Amino acid sequence: NFTYCPATGLAKGNEHSEFAGWAFPFPGVFLTEEFISEDEESEIVERMDRDDWKPSQSGRKKQDYGPKVNFKKQRLKAGSFSGLPSFSKKIVAQMKACSVLGGFLPVEQCNLDYMPERGSAIDAHFDDWWLWGERLVSLNLLSKTVLSMSCDSEDSIQLFPTFSKGNRELSPPGSLTETSACKNSDKEGIDCILSPRLVPSKEVTVAIHLPQRSLVVLYGDARYKWKHAIHRKHIEHRRICVTFRELSAEFSAGGRHEQLGKELLEIALSFQGRPV
């Protein structure tokens, strides 16, 4: 019932929902369009398709480049991990131009293949944060889609009214709480003094529209407070998602498993890998 606006960083109420005319800040999302060219996209997908795609859950297929992990027991080892694929070296280099990706060193890459014929989707979830760090980076290939954000928190979200510039009225009319009597309502540009509106977080969903060849980064609240999902209705054509993950503090400099993290990064950034 809300849509994320990259230009403002706001989640804006959808026109035909009960939240039309309302918005709230939605931090922790970085979205850049046309991150790679059409030719680069074609080459990447062609090289992916040289390797086998393994069946995954919910109608997806996958290729993993990363360590062998048991998240429940919190154990991992390099296993047959031989690094990220060679074609990702250029992608990772281009990430350095993104303001939110300073110092980003990917230790894992997961390619997911979505097809409408298979009913491909992924349920609302958090990515693990024992092993994976702050920033989740995804490159959206072959077709557009929508990343659907939802929240299980018992907290409330404070909404703020937005104005319709065309008629200088607040939208939707009659649904806003007045904190005082309207003043000078006949004068141009002056309406009513309005108070914010509180709604339970559980009643809110936010759509992040991902154009073809766009790059999205989730961090902060969008990473740790909001779950993300891809619904079947938003897979119209073949879509490939390339997700890169960095190490958590526990596996980074000064962390309990710093040495293991260092070893895994050396393997990852050799860019000589095949799917595990």
Side-chain angles (χ1 to χ4, degrees):
N1 39 37
F2 286 80
T3 298
Y4 177 73
C5 173
T8 62
L10 295 175
K12 297 183 177 181
N14 293 339
E15 186 178 344
H16 299 295
S17 79
E18 62 176 300
F19 300 114
W22 295 90
F24 67 96
F26 196 81
V29 179
F30 173 86
L31 178 66
T32 182
E33 297 187 24
E34 296 294 333
F35 182 74
I36 60 172
S37 68
E38 289 184 38
D39 288 344
E40 288 171 324
E41 176 186 46
S42 297
E43 181 185 353
I44 289 167
V45 173
E46 190 273 328
R47 291 179 70 172
M48 283 181 184
D49 284 341
R50 294 178 194 174
D51 290 312
D52 292 334
W53 290 89
K54 295 181 179 179
S56 186
Q57 297 172 319
S58 303
R60 289 170 283 131
K61 291 186 177 182
K62 67 178 180 178
Q63 294 175 340
D64 279 323
Y65 300 83
K68 190 174 182 179
V69 187
N70 185 321
F71 290 107
K72 285 187 178 180
K73 295 182 179 179
Q74 293 195 342
R75 293 178 185 168
L76 82 156
K77 56 184 178 180
S80 57
F81 179 39
S82 54
L84 304 188
S86 58
F87 62 79
S88 292
K89 190 171 186 177
K90 187 178 180 182
I91 299 172
V92 172
Q94 286 175 219
M95 288 181 190
K96 293 178 181 177
C98 299
S99 57
V100 300
L101 291 176
F104 183 79
L105 298 173
V107 74
E108 194 245 19
Q109 176 178 330
C110 180
N111 305 333
L112 289 173
D113 183 299
Y114 292 74
M115 288 281 279
E117 294 84 354
R118 298 195 302 264
S120 300
I122 191 165
D123 292 337
H125 67 285
F126 292 113
D127 278 31
D128 172 83
W129 48 65
W130 163 67
L131 177 59
W132 309 135
E134 169 87 9
R135 295 163 290 187
L136 304 176
V137 184
S138 290
L139 181 59
N140 186 58
L141 304 178
L142 296 182
S143 62
K144 66 179 181 179
T145 193
V146 176
L147 194 60
S148 298
M149 312 295 287
S150 59
C151 186
D152 293 338
S153 169
E154 297 297 332
D155 296 341
S156 293
I157 293 174
Q158 193 173 51
L159 307 181
F160 296 91
T162 57
F163 289 81
S164 172
K165 294 180 181 178
N167 55 14
R168 303 185 316 278
E169 290 180 357
L170 289 156
S171 177
S175 66
L176 308 177
T177 304
E178 297 182 16
T179 55
S180 68
C182 289
K183 298 176 182 179
N184 302 317
S185 58
D186 58 329
K187 293 185 179 180
E188 185 173 336
I190 301 175
D191 290 284
C192 298
I193 301 170
L194 300 153
S195 68
R197 171 182 173 187
L198 288 177
V199 295
S201 297
K202 291 180 178 179
E203 293 184 10
V204 171
T205 57
V206 179
I208 302 175
H209 288 265
L210 303 181
Q212 185 177 347
R213 294 185 298 282
S214 64
L215 185 88
V216 65
V217 184
L218 301 182
Y219 59 97
D221 280 0
R223 159 81 162 105
Y224 296 112
K225 182 178 177 181
W226 292 83
K227 292 182 176 180
H228 55 276
I230 300 284
H231 300 313
R232 286 178 176 83
K233 65 182 179 181
H234 293 136
I235 300 298
E236 300 171 4
H237 308 282
R238 187 187 185 194
R239 178 224 177 204
I240 291 177
C241 171
V242 187
T243 296
F244 298 91
R245 298 179 177 95
E246 64 185 339
L247 290 168
S248 67
E250 193 167 333
F251 292 86
S252 302
R256 189 156 57 108
H257 300 298
E258 174 184 358
Q259 188 56 39
L260 177 55
K262 187 177 179 182
E263 291 169 8
L264 291 173
L265 270 176
E266 284 180 4
I267 295 171
L269 301 179
S270 70
F271 294 101
Q272 297 175 355
R274 297 290 302 274
V276 296

